[in-house]
Amino acid sequence: MYWVLNDQIQRANLNGMGATTIVTEHLPSNLGLLFPVIGGIDLDLAGGKIYWTANVFTATSSEISIRRANLNGSDIETVVVVPFPLAEQGGAIAVLP
């Protein structure tokens, strides 16, 4: 199972054992963030990927990035960045077969 905890994506076995952090979104502490960094996750089990939204909303700017990595957190890459003002509309992701 996978879940989001603040700026981290974590996973564990279905019995809750073996919990580990697989992704941490590091952002400068001086940004004055107003919203959570990671907004949501989706798994592409067939493709072996995890996707998530990385949100950066500050008092002066905003953007949402859709990022992905292997299910173990390796090979992180940015798929798309949606800058202000489009990011104000919010976002959701879905991985379709």
Side-chain angles (χ1 to χ4, degrees), residues 37-73:
V37 175
I38 298 176
I41 60 175
D42 201 356
L43 300 177
D44 174 7
L45 297 177
K49 298 286 186 181
I50 183 168
Y51 289 78
W52 67 94
T53 56
N55 306 309
V56 179
F57 292 98
T58 68
T60 58
S61 67
S62 61
E63 73 178 29
I64 297 175
S65 298
I66 297 176
R67 296 169 55 82
R68 71 178 173 195
N70 294 328
L71 291 174
N72 66 2

Side-chain angles (χ1 to χ4, degrees), residues 56-96:
V56 179
F57 292 98
T58 68
T60 58
S61 67
S62 61
E63 73 178 29
I64 297 175
S65 298
I66 297 176
R67 296 169 55 82
R68 71 178 173 195
N70 294 328
L71 291 174
N72 66 2
S74 65
D75 295 328
I76 296 172
E77 60 185 325
T78 299
V79 178
V80 66
V81 175
V82 180
F84 178 85
L86 296 176
E88 288 186 318
Q89 304 303 312
I93 59 173
V95 178
L96 303 174

